[in-house]
Amino acid sequence: MKRIGFTILLLFIVTGFCIAQKARHTFALGDSTFLLDGKPLQLISGEMHCTRIPREYWRARMKMAKAMGLNTIGTYVFWNAQEPEPGKYDFSGNNDIAEFIRIAKEEGLWVVLRPSPYVCAEWEFGGYPWWLLKNKTMKVRSQDPAFLKAYRDYILHLGKQLAPLLVTHGGNILMVQIENEYGSYGDDKTYLDINRKIFREAGLDGVLFTCDGPSQMPRGYLPGYLPCVNGLDKPAEVKALINKYHDGKGPYYISEWYPGWFDSWGTPHAGSNANEDAKKLDEVLSAGLSINMYMFHGGTTRGFMNGANMSTHDPYSPQTSSYDYDAPLDESGNPTAKFYKFRAVIEKHLATGEHLPPVPAKMPTISINDIKLSESAPLFANLGSPVIEQHPLCFEDLNQGYGFVLYTTTLRDAAKGLLKIDQLRDYATVYINGKRIGVLDRRLKQDSIEIDTTKSNLVIGILVENNGRINYGPYLTDNRQGITEKVTLNNKELTGWIMFKFPFTTVSGFKYMPVNTTVIPGWHTTVINPENPALYKGTFDLTNIGDTYLDMRGFGKGFVFLNGHNLGKYWYIGPQQTIYVPAAWLRKSHNEIVVFDELKGNHQHISTLDHPVLNEMAKE
């Protein structure tokens, strides 16, 4: 019996080994196409980011990708999500990039990995962690030793998660991108090669590539490695460009093709023409090129992770929390008209006898007519421990990455004149003795306000919000937040600052009271001004659960927590007027919602819709 048992065990081991060997593939660069196991492979890829999609829906989004005809997923990895504090790594929950990739494999999808670690992606600081900026002389995307050490440490830890998932080790990651659109920023080939060496040291031993816009490729490509192009969809031009920088050969990969675009606060909802996009996709596939559509599914930029654009010609412009992108799969993961047009195009290019799987059903939606907000926590009655310095400290020097800081100082004498904040980052509400006198907005190049006080010993308060660090372009290295220089009154610097930190990593610990309370002990006032910032809390039960959209029309500017999840930001100016709430984050009993509003007050109710509102502008 023992011999028979041993034989059976040996058979299982040998069989398992053979299956494992059979599952291994080779992936290589041919002269004109990618080669999988020596045969041509046309990548039909779509971008999705695990951190922007509730973990509970990763598999559902993958099934939608397969149903549209994709065979590959492109994905960034966000350093600031994976290493929120130096040396403290988080690969759990929505940050579990390895599990995201494993699910893709189970669903029959290859992966093109883009860990850069600079990603752009309309993501806070382009994916870099805020704590790099605590060193005010550090230069990201450079040979700065302090930057390279932090970069290397991160990539080595990421490699432990992802190297086993490369195709070279039996996984489904076909190739890995080093840096990201580097030509838009610099042209240091030595720095690019340092990237390559770090990736190899981390065990990322497969095919490496770079990506750049057409005009940026000469600066951003690394000789000897595949250069891929972003934002170009004319096949002849794609081939000519890649040939020029890759020894006259391919493969030809459009690493970012844009069938949609992102939104910024204060500008209309972006989009593209589905019929024209479908025609372009058909041309690319007919020419045998590989392509990655950015985005296939955008999802939502949760928490305080939205980025911002700024250039020498364009003002600071923060992006919305909704990352719907007018993509084939909308923010909540449902197929759009664009999805079906692309599916029809891809179907034309299937091999004889191949068929696409059916399109999964849409997620059910619900609307909730009236959620009572019964308690409020005025911000100025919840100040916490102060930091006291002669000069104002920026967020980074206060050891804070995101959220808000309240800066206060006392005017000993009556004063009249121009109050100016030197280098405001990014949005401020200004108060005298707890009463708001105005708003300053970096987008609109507002940094000063006239004041006229007739009394002495009045307190100036400046509540400053990080509205999103710049994620692209020449100002990437100039990203410290808060009051980054000084405050002057009639050109004379104000000193003696008392600062209060509000990182809002959680909304617990605040002191709540009934929403209609009018008298409390507070910051230099005993009367609650309904315009002043506050958190509003309520609970609700549900009979049915489904996706829904918080209707933020009637609110001012802030963010929302639901059952412990920071759902993202809202701002009355639009174009985004709703916040997507995934059904997976709701429960039938005792849902808790907390809304922070820095501009409007006295909120007692909030409702939800069964559809998004993403293109409604309001007057500022």
Side-chain angles (χ1 to χ4, degrees):
M1 282 296 289
K2 289 183 179 180
R3 185 178 181 86
I4 294 173
F6 177 79
T7 302
I8 293 173
L9 177 61
L10 184 61
L11 182 61
F12 272 120
I13 292 172
V14 171
T15 302
F17 177 80
C18 291
I19 291 172
Q21 289 298 304
K22 187 176 181 181
R24 286 182 177 271
H25 297 276
T26 61
F27 182 75
L29 307 181
D31 287 348
S32 60
T33 66
F34 295 107
L35 298 175
L36 180 67
D37 299 331
K39 298 178 181 178
L41 172 66
Q42 184 177 31
L43 301 182
I44 308 176
S45 177
E47 189 89 7
M48 294 195 294
H49 306 143
C50 64
T51 312
R52 282 180 158 135
I53 307 166
R55 182 186 180 114
E56 296 88 342
Y57 295 154
W58 288 350
R59 191 176 298 276
R61 304 302 188 258
M62 303 289 184
K63 289 184 182 296
M64 282 289 187
K66 288 290 288 186
M68 200 180 81
L70 302 184
N71 58 21
T72 305
I73 293 298
T75 191
Y76 279 134
V77 186
F78 301 129
W79 182 1
N80 54 11
Q82 310 285 348
E83 192 181 2
E85 298 179 49
K88 295 184 179 179
Y89 297 94
D90 182 4
F91 295 106
S92 65
N94 270 34
N95 294 330
D96 192 350
I97 180 65
E99 180 63 13
F100 184 75
I101 291 169
R102 282 191 287 265
I103 291 174
K105 183 178 182 182
E106 291 168 4
E107 295 300 323
L109 290 161
W110 302 106
V111 169
V112 172
L113 182 68
R114 312 206 299 152
S116 182
Y118 167 73
V119 296
C120 185
E122 292 68 61
W123 192 266
E124 226 270 350
F125 198 12
Y128 288 126
W130 70 270
W131 45 262
L132 292 175
L133 296 165
K134 291 171 70 173
N135 178 348
K136 65 170 59 177
T137 65
M138 180 184 288
K139 297 295 183 184
V140 299
R141 307 187 86 178
S142 78
Q143 296 185 53
D144 182 330
F147 167 66
L148 290 177
K149 181 185 183 305
Y151 175 3
R152 177 179 174 274
D153 289 347
Y154 164 65
I155 292 295
L156 292 184
H157 275 84
L158 187 65
K160 293 175 183 177
Q161 297 281 321
L162 300 183
L165 304 180
L166 266 63
V167 69
T168 47
H169 302 282
N172 58 323
I173 300 174
L174 295 179
M175 56 183 186
V176 180
Q177 178 183 298
I178 54 174
E179 247 293 345
N180 183 56
E181 299 178 319
Y182 178 66
S184 69
Y185 181 84
D187 60 358
D188 185 346
K189 301 298 184 187
T190 301
Y191 163 71
L192 277 178
D193 197 53
I194 291 171
N195 282 255
R196 177 193 65 81
K197 292 175 181 176
I198 291 173
F199 276 40
R200 292 304 194 212
E201 185 183 359
L204 302 174
D205 56 5
V207 172
L208 300 179
F209 72 99
T210 60
C211 78
D212 288 282
S215 64
Q216 302 161 355
M217 191 176 287
R219 291 158 50 90
Y221 87 106
L222 182 63
Y225 292 84
L226 179 67
C228 303
V229 64
N230 292 351
L232 189 63
D233 53 22
K234 295 180 179 178
E237 294 180 13
V238 171
K239 289 182 178 181
L241 186 66
I242 292 175
N243 283 342
K244 184 175 181 179
Y245 298 103
H246 198 232
D247 299 326
K249 59 185 179 180
Y252 307 104
Y253 185 45
I254 303 171
S255 38
E256 290 186 12
W257 173 62
Y258 307 114
W261 202 245
F262 61 87
D263 286 340
S264 298
W265 291 113
T267 62
H269 181 52
S272 63
N273 185 287
N275 289 325
E276 292 178 4
D277 288 342
K279 182 180 178 182
K280 292 174 183 176
L281 179 61
D282 193 18
E283 291 172 355
V284 167
L285 297 184
S286 296
L289 276 63
S290 289
I291 191 169
N292 178 52
M293 54 190 70
Y294 190 103
M295 302 289 294
F296 163 66
H297 171 51
T300 311
T301 307
R302 302 290 184 185
F304 302 128
M305 286 295 109
N306 69 282
N309 277 347
M310 185 173 172
S311 71
T312 53
H313 305 294
D314 298 312
Y316 171 81
S317 178
Q319 292 113 19
T320 61
S321 289
S322 171
Y323 205 59
D324 176 86
Y325 219 90
D326 194 36
L329 214 60
D330 70 15
E331 182 178 6
S332 59
N334 288 315
T336 65
K338 192 176 289 183
F339 175 100
Y340 288 102
K341 291 180 185 296
F342 288 5
R343 173 182 160 93
V345 167
I346 295 170
E347 227 166 6
K348 287 170 49 181
H349 295 273
L350 295 178
T352 303
E354 287 188 10
H355 301 281
L356 296 181
V359 179
K362 288 187 175 183
M363 293 286 292
T365 59
I366 61 172
S367 60
I368 310 169
N369 291 329
D370 186 16
I371 300 170
K372 186 177 180 181
L373 301 173
S374 57
E375 295 180 285
S376 68
L379 198 67
F380 300 154
N382 287 271
L383 294 182
S385 300
V387 176
I388 302 172
E389 293 285 346
Q390 276 296 97
H391 304 280
L393 301 180
C394 67
F395 277 40
E396 292 75 13
D397 289 341
L398 288 165
N399 199 33
Q400 179 175 325
Y402 315 108
F404 299 73
V405 170
L406 174 64
Y407 298 83
T408 69
T409 190
T410 300
L411 298 178
R412 300 302 176 192
D413 303 307
K416 180 179 180 179
L418 188 70
L419 182 77
K420 179 180 173 63
I421 304 175
D422 190 5
Q423 297 300 316
L424 168 66
R425 309 288 176 82
D426 301 299
Y427 188 89
T429 45
V430 184
Y431 303 83
I432 294 181
N433 265 27
K435 182 178 180 180
R436 191 173 78 212
I437 62 169
V439 171
L440 303 176
D441 188 345
R442 185 183 182 189
R443 290 180 316 122
L444 306 178
K445 299 184 178 181
Q446 298 168 337
D447 63 1
S448 56
I449 187 170
E450 291 284 344
I451 66 170
D452 188 356
T453 67
T454 58
K455 297 180 181 179
S456 60
N457 294 317
L458 297 181
V459 175
I460 293 283
I462 306 172
L463 181 66
V464 179
E465 176 189 2
N466 167 2
N467 226 3
R469 289 184 178 85
I470 295 164
N471 60 259
Y472 180 82
Y475 296 105
L476 191 70
T477 58
D478 185 16
N479 250 329
R480 286 157 73 86
Q481 287 289 311
I483 297 177
T484 60
E485 294 294 338
K486 60 186 177 181
V487 181
T488 58
L489 178 59
N490 293 327
N491 295 316
K492 182 179 180 180
E493 182 177 1
L494 298 180
T495 58
W497 290 93
I498 302 174
M499 294 159 279
F500 301 91
K501 299 161 60 174
F502 295 97
F504 288 118
T505 52
T506 176
V507 287
S508 64
F510 288 87
K511 296 177 181 178
Y512 287 86
M513 59 201 67
V515 77
N516 58 357
T517 301
T518 56
V519 181
I520 60 163
W523 170 53
H524 298 282
T525 180
T526 57
V527 179
I528 294 179
N529 185 331
E531 288 188 344
N532 283 358
L535 298 101
Y536 297 87
K537 182 166 69 174
T539 60
F540 60 98
D541 299 331
L542 294 171
T543 303
N544 299 309
I545 291 177
D547 283 353
T548 193
Y549 304 84
L550 287 166
D551 187 354
M552 305 313 299
R553 293 172 294 187
F555 289 77
K557 186 178 193 301
F559 56 85
V560 181
F561 269 73
L562 176 77
N563 294 334
H565 297 277
N566 188 332
L567 298 180
K569 298 180 181 179
Y570 67 90
W571 193 352
Y572 75 93
I573 64 175
Q576 174 191 333
Q577 299 289 352
T578 53
I579 296 179
Y580 167 54
V581 180
W585 293 355
L586 289 167
R587 47 192 180 232
K588 286 197 172 181
S589 62
H590 199 74
N591 294 278
E592 181 182 85
I593 186 170
V594 177
V595 182
F596 174 75
D597 197 332
E598 61 184 298
L599 295 181
K600 298 182 181 180
N602 200 30
H603 299 297
Q604 298 183 37
H605 303 273
I606 189 170
S607 297
T608 79
L609 306 172
D610 62 2
H611 62 278
V613 179
L614 299 178
N615 193 17
E616 188 173 304
M617 304 293 293
K619 292 183 179 180
E620 297 188 43

